[in-house]
Amino acid sequence: MELIKALPEIFEDFAEQRKNSFLTMKELKDKNVPVIGAYCTYFPQEIAMAMGAVTVGLCSTSDETIPVAERDLPRNLCPMVKASYGFAVSDKCPFFYFSDVVVGETTCDGKKKMYELMGEFKNVYVMELPNSQSETALKLWKEEILKFKSYLEQTFKVVITEENVRKAVHMMNENRIALKNLYEVMKNDPAPMNGQELFNVLYGSQFRFDKEKVPEEINALREKIMKEYEENEKMPKKKRILLTGCPSSGAPMKVVKALEENGAIVVAYENCGGTKSVDRLIDESAEDIYEAIAERYLQIGCSVMTPNKNRYELIGRLIEEYQIDGVVEMTLQACHTYNVEAKSIEKFVKGKGVPYIHVETDYSQEDIGQLNTRMTAFVEML
């Protein structure tokens, strides 16, 4: 029995969370709650939360406004950058509209230059993210976090206390623990739900603004899923896929759909919005909480890092723990860091004796037929 039949209202609720949160955002603004929007997993949201602000992700996942963006941006640019800029400049993203400050970061070149253009019509603050994970880089990143704290205090005329920072750290650690416990149900074989359902919860949870309630909701969902799994007939076993690479929310989920409609199941996501976002916790007992925050975020294994050893460590661990049959790397067109790193990831994965395939796509639906053909062939080969 597929859990999508047993728990449709829960999965649908999380899948629609981003849309449902538009009204919540308006209500928060009516109460003068500060809103900080951001585009990256490296954003240290605990600092903003410590001053009572709500944080929200702004990356756009549809090609709807790309034609608008291409009036200012080159066509051969990452679709995520173009879509995000398009929704911002056309005022079609309520989250962007209601954000008092948009926080950017110096990850990829496309986003860095996008922030310059955004700064002409929005209050944009850019954090200088080091592109390595050395001790020197950690010092620089801690300084950037402290500068960001000072900027918020000056902009909003508030004092961000260490006590409130530690409370925010604890709250977000609890969120990460709950989400990690949830996706670890996919270690079961057969899996208790499909990968699309899992991602809906992981992605949708980002748009639950009352972070204190999220762990309880996620834990209750996990218990319900496992109760259904233990009491009902199991789904048939399928080839177990690890999806890695660029963010897969929105239009890129067509890759997951192509896999799961052709005999496989995505049991793990090593990308933004997946395990990468919740795998590491902040050391709550650290004497220097700001250094602990900096260390946790800097250790995220993104392809903008050189070298990027933490990404390989995480992929290797997921392959083993989730009994992965095949790795699919999904990259977006013109995402240079991930596309270049794909060759090294292929070598690493195949070195562990696991089949690997790399697919490059964009936000359009034009390559769905080709994706289905390639994913069917890959799954049949496993």
Side-chain angles (χ1 to χ4, degrees), residues 192-307:
M193 58 181 164
N194 65 45
Q196 294 181 73
E197 293 163 345
L198 172 65
F199 194 83
N200 284 343
V201 178
L202 295 175
Y203 183 68
S205 65
Q206 300 175 40
F207 300 97
R208 299 271 169 125
F209 299 133
D210 191 344
K211 298 298 184 186
E212 290 182 348
K213 295 181 179 179
V214 170
E216 184 179 351
E217 291 179 6
I218 297 297
N219 290 333
L221 174 59
R222 184 190 183 281
E223 289 179 16
K224 192 171 181 66
I225 288 171
M226 291 310 298
K227 185 172 184 292
E228 293 278 354
Y229 181 75
E230 291 163 3
E231 293 179 354
N232 294 295
E233 182 182 345
K234 306 293 189 291
M235 291 191 293
K237 289 192 176 186
K238 297 179 179 180
K239 295 300 180 182
R240 300 167 64 82
I241 303 296
L242 164 62
L243 186 72
T244 185
C246 294
S248 55
S249 55
M253 282 299 284
K254 61 188 174 182
V255 177
V256 177
K257 188 176 181 182
L259 283 162
E260 299 200 325
E261 288 182 351
N262 290 288
I265 182 166
V266 177
V267 296
Y269 293 87
E270 186 283 318
N271 54 17
C272 300
T275 57
K276 185 184 296 183
S277 303
V278 297
D279 186 61
R280 295 174 182 269
L281 302 179
I282 296 171
D283 182 3
E284 297 181 32
S285 63
E287 183 177 346
D288 187 338
I289 194 63
Y290 299 103
E291 182 168 318
I293 293 170
E295 185 173 17
R296 183 267 169 193
Y297 279 98
L298 193 64
Q299 293 304 310
I300 294 171
C302 177
S303 64
V304 299
M305 291 295 169
T306 302

Side-chain angles (χ1 to χ4, degrees), residues 99-364:
S99 291
D100 297 293
V101 175
V102 170
V103 180
E105 75 306 316
T106 54
T107 47
C108 76
D109 291 339
K111 288 169 76 176
K112 283 189 289 189
K113 303 309 288 186
M114 175 185 75
Y115 296 138
E116 289 184 20
L117 297 181
M118 276 186 179
E120 297 176 6
F121 56 89
K122 193 71 175 180
N123 189 9
V124 177
Y125 182 87
V126 178
M127 300 184 72
E128 295 282 345
L129 177 74
N131 290 154
S132 74
Q133 295 163 327
S134 64
E135 285 298 316
T136 303
L138 177 59
K139 292 177 183 178
L140 292 171
W141 187 230
K142 177 188 169 184
E143 284 301 312
E144 281 299 302
I145 288 174
L146 291 173
K147 286 179 187 176
F148 176 53
K149 172 179 173 287
S150 296
Y151 167 81
L152 292 179
E153 289 177 324
Q154 293 170 18
T155 302
F156 293 93
K157 304 295 188 293
V158 296
V159 174
I160 299 175
T161 66
E162 181 175 324
E163 180 184 3
N164 285 340
V165 170
R166 289 185 180 274
K167 285 180 180 178
V169 164
H170 176 71
M171 189 188 308
M172 288 310 300
N173 273 349
E174 291 296 302
N175 275 253
R176 294 179 185 113
I177 291 168
L179 287 168
K180 187 172 183 178
N181 288 339
L182 172 72
Y183 73 64
E184 285 185 346
V185 305
M186 301 301 277
K187 291 181 179 180
N188 289 284
D189 190 13
M193 58 181 164
N194 65 45
Q196 294 181 73
E197 293 163 345
L198 172 65
F199 194 83
N200 284 343
V201 178
L202 295 175
Y203 183 68
S205 65
Q206 300 175 40
F207 300 97
R208 299 271 169 125
F209 299 133
D210 191 344
K211 298 298 184 186
E212 290 182 348
K213 295 181 179 179
V214 170
E216 184 179 351
E217 291 179 6
I218 297 297
N219 290 333
L221 174 59
R222 184 190 183 281
E223 289 179 16
K224 192 171 181 66
I225 288 171
M226 291 310 298
K227 185 172 184 292
E228 293 278 354
Y229 181 75
E230 291 163 3
E231 293 179 354
N232 294 295
E233 182 182 345
K234 306 293 189 291
M235 291 191 293
K237 289 192 176 186
K238 297 179 179 180
K239 295 300 180 182
R240 300 167 64 82
I241 303 296
L242 164 62
L243 186 72
T244 185
C246 294
S248 55
S249 55
M253 282 299 284
K254 61 188 174 182
V255 177
V256 177
K257 188 176 181 182
L259 283 162
E260 299 200 325
E261 288 182 351
N262 290 288
I265 182 166
V266 177
V267 296
Y269 293 87
E270 186 283 318
N271 54 17
C272 300
T275 57
K276 185 184 296 183
S277 303
V278 297
D279 186 61
R280 295 174 182 269
L281 302 179
I282 296 171
D283 182 3
E284 297 181 32
S285 63
E287 183 177 346
D288 187 338
I289 194 63
Y290 299 103
E291 182 168 318
I293 293 170
E295 185 173 17
R296 183 267 169 193
Y297 279 98
L298 193 64
Q299 293 304 310
I300 294 171
C302 177
S303 64
V304 299
M305 291 295 169
T306 302
N308 189 18
K309 58 181 174 53
N310 288 339
R311 184 184 179 202
Y312 296 87
E313 186 276 330
L314 179 56
I315 289 176
R317 183 153 40 93
L318 293 174
I319 286 174
E320 187 175 319
E321 293 179 1
Y322 288 78
Q323 307 167 64
I324 298 300
D325 295 308
V327 172
V328 176
E329 176 143 23
M330 189 283 295
T331 60
L332 295 171
Q333 291 175 0
C335 182
H336 302 315
T337 58
Y338 271 106
N339 277 310
V340 171
E341 194 167 271
K343 188 64 180 176
S344 301
I345 295 295
E346 178 180 13
K347 182 179 179 181
F348 174 80
V349 171
K350 288 184 174 179
K352 290 190 169 293
V354 177
Y356 167 98
I357 189 172
H358 175 205
V359 294
E360 185 180 12
T361 188
D362 59 13
Y363 279 9
S364 75

Side-chain angles (χ1 to χ4, degrees), residues 12-27:
E12 189 173 330
D13 183 29
F14 276 98
E16 295 298 312
Q17 185 60 43
R18 188 172 186 272
K19 293 180 182 177
N20 297 340
S21 295
F22 293 159
L23 289 177
T24 305
M25 180 63 67
K26 174 65 167 60
E27 293 169 1

